[in-house]
Amino acid sequence: MKKKYTIADVADLAGVSKTTVSNVINNIENKFTEETKIKVLKAIEKLDFNINIGAKSLSEGKSYLIGVILPIYKDTDILQENFFLQEFLSGINRYLSTIKNKYDIIFTGVNENKFNIKNWIRKRAIDGVICFGLTSNYIYEYLEQLKIPTVIVDDLRDATNGFSRVYIADKKGGYLATKYLIENGHKDIAFINTGINLSKVEKNRFNGYIEALSEYNLNFYESNCFELKYLHYDSGVYIADKIKDLIGKQFTAAFVTSDIIAIGLINRLQELEIKIPNDFSVVGFDNISLSKYIYPKLTTIDQNIYKKGQSAAEELIKIIEYDDIKKNIEMDVSLVIRESVKNVKE
Amino acid sequence: MKKKYTIADVADLAGVSKTTVSNVINNIENKFTEETKIKVLKAIEKLDFNINIGAKSLSEGKSYLIGVILPIYKDTDILQENFFLQEFLSGINRYLSTIKNKYDIIFTGVNENKFNIKNWIRKRAIDGVICFGLTSNYIYEYLEQLKIPTVIVDDLRDATNGFSRVYIADKKGGYLATKYLIENGHKDIAFINTGINLSKVEKNRFNGYIEALSEYNLNFYESNCFELKYLHYDSGVYIADKIKDLIGKQFTAAFVTSDIIAIGLINRLQELEIKIPNDFSVVGFDNISLSKYIYPKLTTIDQNIYKKGQSAAEELIKIIEYDDIKKNIEMDVSLVIRESVKNVKE
DNA sequence: TTGAAAGCGCTAACAG
DNA sequence: CTGTTAGCGCTTTCAA
């Protein structure tokens, strides 16, 4: 097997010192002439030399690794049965590729035991971390204690006040969804959520719902609100059975604060011979990739998780490389009109 | 901020040498007494010491990083719009967690330019790589040249002969799918695929289809075979339009060699008022997570991508740690009965 | 503009 | 069983 060359080999071949090779590789200003640069570059080319990040890392005290901490949902493994985490990772990866893949991503799940996550960050000497969704407070504490560059995504709870955060315009999303339903002639609109008092995200979506209602002088009825415990498909199935007899009587449409639940709802309702959107209209929230593959295709609020990943990564790199200050970044949302809403005006 | 401690600090506190600390940490046999072990462990605990993998890595010439090379599908970014890669990553991660997360995963996409992938492997000093799906031959060449432990998943082309491979019982899957259709009374069954001459995987599924047919003395008709160009949702939509007039006349069911296409087909057919499974039955292949969320739920062949990730990782670690020899690992498949097939016997 | 030498934190010979 | 010492491949003073 071919020997793995080091900068010493390059230096020998080019007839310069290791220092100079290093300076050329890292493009340090005023440290070499054009002439030496060419010599070094030629030697690198000839030997097919590749820098060893491990060594660079040890000497610089930087790993060029960014850690992503992902939530693990009930009963599944990390990344499993999930329709958006991979989009998020993809976005991060995308941004990293725009800065020449200097950094690599490593990831872990949040339900690993406490010490694991802390140790993981330290032993890998991770340069920065991105936390997605509601992770536990003890993680935030560790992060603060470690003084490691961090970006929190989609968690606006007080415990995250000290960090840079990326989140979306949830209120606007709720507003857009509800308004669209109203403009399609719906006056009685159910609000299906996973707990407006537990999560600011949900709360904001609810506020958007309320705002649209009052803008059109529609009354808000507590009885039109349904709170679910878990954020997964089965909650949609569950709520479908619960509200099926109210459809057409108490309300003609629903704004559901997450796609996966909306999809469970739609599928179950159709099993019960309630046709979507003919008998009942629904607007979701998230625009997970799944939502355009179901029948009928789901009208929803797009939050572009992919782009969110990009922004989170960009912000993190700014903090790592330029000591950028804490920032709150709100991402815009938009309505994606597909087929799950019927116009009942005429 | 708290100083980051090194083994030298631990050694000082415990009153032993660095070597001894290292020996204890790595649990090297016959290199320390129970007594020293306790001293060292106490010191580690007290200092909240964490080993620095970067340094360990440099000195051992091992990175404890495994690289996963993922395909990138047309027009999308890595991991995007995809319903199985994350399951695969999840499986790898799962196995790695059973060996105490000694290794971390880093990943990259295959359409990055050639040099990038090679450089990436070398500069990170990756310990081993897992390739998923049909990647390019030049990658296999690099891998061979680099003599790096490698496991190839789902690619049986000649170029992969020299590597350990993980794949599934495709023929059995094709057989099971077709047999199930036949046992439900279907005699004329379309075979929708993405090219049996391009991919051994497709070829094997086709062979299973043929075997079931002949076992039940059913004729094979070339005209019942439809070959698609791309492996994605839109191909299903496309083929739906193409075969809609043959349904009920030339055939009453279809075995589709991939779920995502089967789903495109089903959705489009239902838009055309052809009811599944009442008017037409379909069995898919893959059991992607999406397939249980569509309506009707898709009957399909489960290939357990998650488990495939586990096996690939297990095999790779064996190669890395025990110089295990090249192996071919075939994973079993099974039929998952859901709602897209109608019994037309009675 | 260049180079010598020290050091990042760890492991591995080797000697005791 | 324990410790000394010499690297692993790079960056970084500091001096020339």
Side-chain angles (χ1 to χ4, degrees):
Chain A
M1 173 172 166
K2 258 167 53 180
K3 177 187 180 312
K4 273 205 297 193
Y5 294 108
T6 72
I7 54 169
D9 299 310
V10 175
D12 280 354
L13 185 62
V16 299
S17 73
K18 289 198 305 178
T19 310
T20 300
V21 174
S22 176
N23 287 150
V24 170
I25 290 174
N26 295 300
N27 222 332
I28 313 279
E29 274 175 27
N30 297 341
K31 286 284 185 182
F32 51 83
T33 58
E34 191 59 23
E35 206 180 357
T36 31
K37 178 177 173 179
I38 293 173
K39 276 195 301 191
V40 171
L41 257 24
K42 265 198 186 133
I44 288 179
E45 168 113 53
K46 186 153 179 204
L47 296 180
D48 194 17
F49 164 80
N50 228 243
I51 205 163
N52 177 325
I53 296 198
K56 180 184 173 73
S57 165
L58 179 59
S59 115
E60 283 184 309
K62 238 192 111 165
S63 64
Y64 296 95
L65 245 24
I66 83 161
V68 179
I69 299 180
L70 265 15
I72 297 183
Y73 299 95
K74 200 166 159 271
D75 284 341
T76 58
D77 212 331
I78 188 173
L79 280 177
Q80 248 203 323
E81 287 292 328
N82 181 287
F83 295 96
F84 49 88
L85 289 182
Q86 73 276 15
E87 299 272 330
F88 183 67
L89 280 183
S90 184
I92 297 175
N93 187 67
R94 173 77 201 147
Y95 177 74
L96 262 21
S97 76
T98 67
I99 52 170
K100 304 185 171 183
N101 294 300
K102 257 169 64 181
Y103 295 82
D104 278 293
I105 298 170
I106 59 180
F107 58 85
T108 190
V110 84
N111 83 350
E112 320 275 341
N113 89 49
K114 310 185 178 207
F115 298 104
N116 279 354
I117 288 209
K118 188 178 183 183
N119 287 351
W120 180 70
I121 292 175
R122 296 198 303 172
K123 77 183 188 199
R124 280 290 179 193
I126 286 173
D127 292 339
V129 353
I130 297 178
C131 288
F132 187 93
L134 272 39
T135 77
S136 312
N137 282 353
Y138 66 79
I139 304 236
Y140 297 140
E141 277 163 28
Y142 284 150
L143 259 17
E144 223 142 25
Q145 184 182 322
L146 257 24
K147 291 213 195 316
I148 187 172
T150 301
V151 172
I152 309 282
V153 177
D154 284 347
D155 188 351
L156 292 170
R157 291 177 303 177
D158 291 343
T160 67
N161 281 341
F163 299 98
S164 275
R165 296 182 290 200
V166 174
Y167 50 90
I168 60 163
D170 286 297
K171 184 174 174 192
K172 178 177 172 188
Y175 171 77
L176 253 28
T178 312
K179 183 181 174 187
Y180 180 68
L181 250 8
I182 297 173
E183 287 177 340
N184 274 278
H186 296 278
K187 293 185 159 43
D188 301 293
I189 302 167
F191 175 74
I192 298 173
N193 66 96
T194 55
I196 60 175
N197 292 320
L198 294 169
S199 148
K200 279 200 183 167
V201 164
E202 290 288 298
K203 178 75 173 184
N204 290 337
R205 294 177 190 184
F206 174 70
N207 287 338
Y209 165 76
I210 292 294
E211 182 173 310
L213 247 35
S214 74
E215 185 176 321
Y216 287 83
N217 294 312
L218 260 23
N219 281 328
F220 162 69
Y221 297 104
E222 184 81 39
S223 55
N224 280 349
C225 293
F226 300 89
E227 185 170 322
L228 266 5
K229 233 178 180 159
Y230 302 111
L231 176 51
H232 60 200
Y233 184 86
D234 292 338
S235 293
V237 173
Y238 167 81
I239 201 68
D241 287 323
K242 197 126 178 184
I243 67 170
K244 64 173 193 289
D245 296 325
L246 304 174
I247 287 174
K249 305 196 179 73
Q250 190 174 324
F251 36 70
T252 60
F255 163 42
V256 184
T257 61
S258 65
D259 279 359
I260 193 72
I261 294 179
I263 291 168
L265 170 69
I266 287 179
N267 284 354
R268 178 61 182 156
L269 251 21
Q270 300 202 102
E271 275 176 25
L272 299 170
E273 300 294 329
I274 295 172
K275 293 298 167 211
I276 313 295
N278 274 351
D279 304 334
F280 191 56
S281 293
V282 1
V283 177
F285 201 119
D286 285 341
N287 194 23
I288 57 178
S289 47
L290 180 51
S291 56
K292 63 172 164 303
Y293 295 122
I294 62 155
Y295 180 77
K297 301 191 180 80
L298 184 66
T299 291
T300 188
I301 299 297
D302 179 52
Q303 63 156 304
N304 209 330
I305 299 172
Y306 175 71
K307 215 165 143 195
K308 195 146 71 175
Q310 286 185 56
S311 297
E314 183 174 359
E315 176 58 19
L316 182 63
I317 298 303
K318 274 189 195 156
I319 301 177
I320 293 174
E321 303 203 333
Y322 309 108
D323 260 325
D324 206 17
I325 51 161
K326 165 181 157 25
K327 241 187 270 175
N328 281 317
I329 300 176
E330 183 179 271
M331 317 257 323
D332 201 14
V333 297
S334 62
L335 176 71
V336 181
I337 299 174
R338 288 200 275 245
E339 305 162 353
S340 61
V341 173
K342 184 186 174 189
N343 189 324
V344 294
K345 258 182 180 160
E346 294 92 41
Chain B
M1 176 174 168
K2 256 166 52 180
K3 178 187 183 309
K4 274 205 294 195
Y5 295 107
T6 71
I7 54 169
D9 300 312
V10 176
D12 279 355
L13 184 63
V16 299
S17 74
K18 289 197 306 177
T19 310
T20 301
V21 175
S22 177
N23 287 149
V24 171
I25 289 174
N26 295 300
N27 223 334
I28 313 282
E29 273 175 29
N30 296 342
K31 287 284 189 181
F32 49 83
T33 58
E34 191 58 24
E35 203 180 356
T36 31
K37 178 176 172 179
I38 291 174
K39 274 195 301 188
V40 171
L41 258 22
K42 264 198 186 134
I44 288 178
E45 168 113 50
K46 182 148 182 209
L47 296 179
D48 194 18
F49 165 81
N50 227 239
I51 204 163
N52 176 327
I53 296 198
K56 179 183 173 75
S57 165
L58 179 60
S59 118
E60 283 184 307
K62 239 192 111 166
S63 64
Y64 296 96
L65 245 23
I66 83 161
V68 179
I69 298 181
L70 264 15
I72 296 183
Y73 299 96
K74 199 167 159 271
D75 285 341
T76 58
D77 212 331
I78 188 174
L79 280 177
Q80 251 204 319
E81 286 293 330
N82 182 287
F83 295 97
F84 50 87
L85 288 182
Q86 73 276 14
E87 298 273 329
F88 183 67
L89 280 182
S90 183
I92 297 175
N93 186 68
R94 174 76 201 148
Y95 177 74
L96 261 20
S97 77
T98 66
I99 53 169
K100 303 187 173 182
N101 295 300
K102 255 168 67 178
Y103 295 82
D104 278 294
I105 298 170
I106 58 180
F107 58 85
T108 190
V110 83
N111 82 351
E112 319 276 339
N113 90 49
K114 311 184 176 205
F115 297 103
N116 280 353
I117 288 208
K118 189 179 183 185
N119 288 351
W120 179 71
I121 292 175
R122 296 198 303 172
K123 76 183 189 198
R124 281 289 179 193
I126 288 173
D127 291 340
V129 352
I130 297 178
C131 288
F132 186 93
L134 271 39
T135 77
S136 314
N137 281 353
Y138 67 78
I139 305 235
Y140 296 139
E141 279 164 28
Y142 284 149
L143 259 18
E144 223 142 24
Q145 186 182 321
L146 256 24
K147 293 213 196 313
I148 186 171
T150 301
V151 173
I152 308 282
V153 177
D154 284 348
D155 187 351
L156 292 171
R157 291 176 302 175
D158 291 344
T160 66
N161 280 342
F163 298 98
S164 274
R165 295 183 290 201
V166 175
Y167 50 89
I168 60 163
D170 287 295
K171 185 176 174 189
K172 178 177 172 189
Y175 170 79
L176 254 28
T178 312
K179 183 180 174 187
Y180 179 68
L181 250 7
I182 297 172
E183 287 178 339
N184 275 276
H186 297 277
K187 293 185 160 46
D188 301 293
I189 301 167
F191 174 73
I192 298 173
N193 66 95
T194 55
I196 60 175
N197 291 320
L198 295 169
S199 148
K200 278 199 185 168
V201 163
E202 290 288 298
K203 178 78 172 182
N204 289 339
R205 293 177 190 183
F206 173 71
N207 288 338
Y209 166 76
I210 292 294
E211 183 172 309
L213 247 34
S214 74
E215 185 176 322
Y216 286 84
N217 294 313
L218 260 21
N219 283 327
F220 162 68
Y221 299 104
E222 183 80 39
S223 57
N224 279 349
C225 292
F226 301 90
E227 184 169 323
L228 267 1
K229 233 176 179 161
Y230 302 110
L231 176 50
H232 60 202
Y233 184 85
D234 291 338
S235 292
V237 173
Y238 166 81
I239 200 68
D241 287 323
K242 199 131 176 178
I243 66 170
K244 63 172 191 293
D245 296 326
L246 305 174
I247 288 174
K249 306 200 179 71
Q250 189 174 321
F251 36 69
T252 60
F255 162 41
V256 184
T257 60
S258 66
D259 279 359
I260 193 71
I261 294 179
I263 291 168
L265 171 69
I266 287 179
N267 283 353
R268 177 61 181 156
L269 252 21
Q270 300 203 103
E271 275 175 24
L272 299 170
E273 300 295 329
I274 295 172
K275 293 297 165 214
I276 313 293
N278 273 351
D279 304 332
F280 191 56
S281 292
V282 359
V283 176
F285 200 117
D286 285 341
N287 195 22
I288 58 178
S289 48
L290 179 51
S291 56
K292 64 173 163 302
Y293 295 123
I294 62 156
Y295 178 77
K297 299 190 182 81
L298 185 66
T299 290
T300 189
I301 299 298
D302 179 52
Q303 63 156 303
N304 210 332
I305 299 173
Y306 176 71
K307 215 165 145 195
K308 196 146 71 176
Q310 285 185 59
S311 297
E314 183 173 1
E315 175 59 17
L316 182 64
I317 298 302
K318 272 189 196 155
I319 301 177
I320 293 174
E321 303 202 334
Y322 309 108
D323 261 323
D324 205 18
I325 50 160
K326 169 183 156 20
K327 240 187 271 173
N328 282 317
I329 300 176
E330 185 179 272
M331 317 260 319
D332 201 14
V333 298
S334 62
L335 176 70
V336 181
I337 298 174
R338 288 200 274 247
E339 305 162 353
S340 59
V341 173
K342 185 186 175 189
N343 189 326
V344 294
K345 256 182 185 163
E346 294 92 41

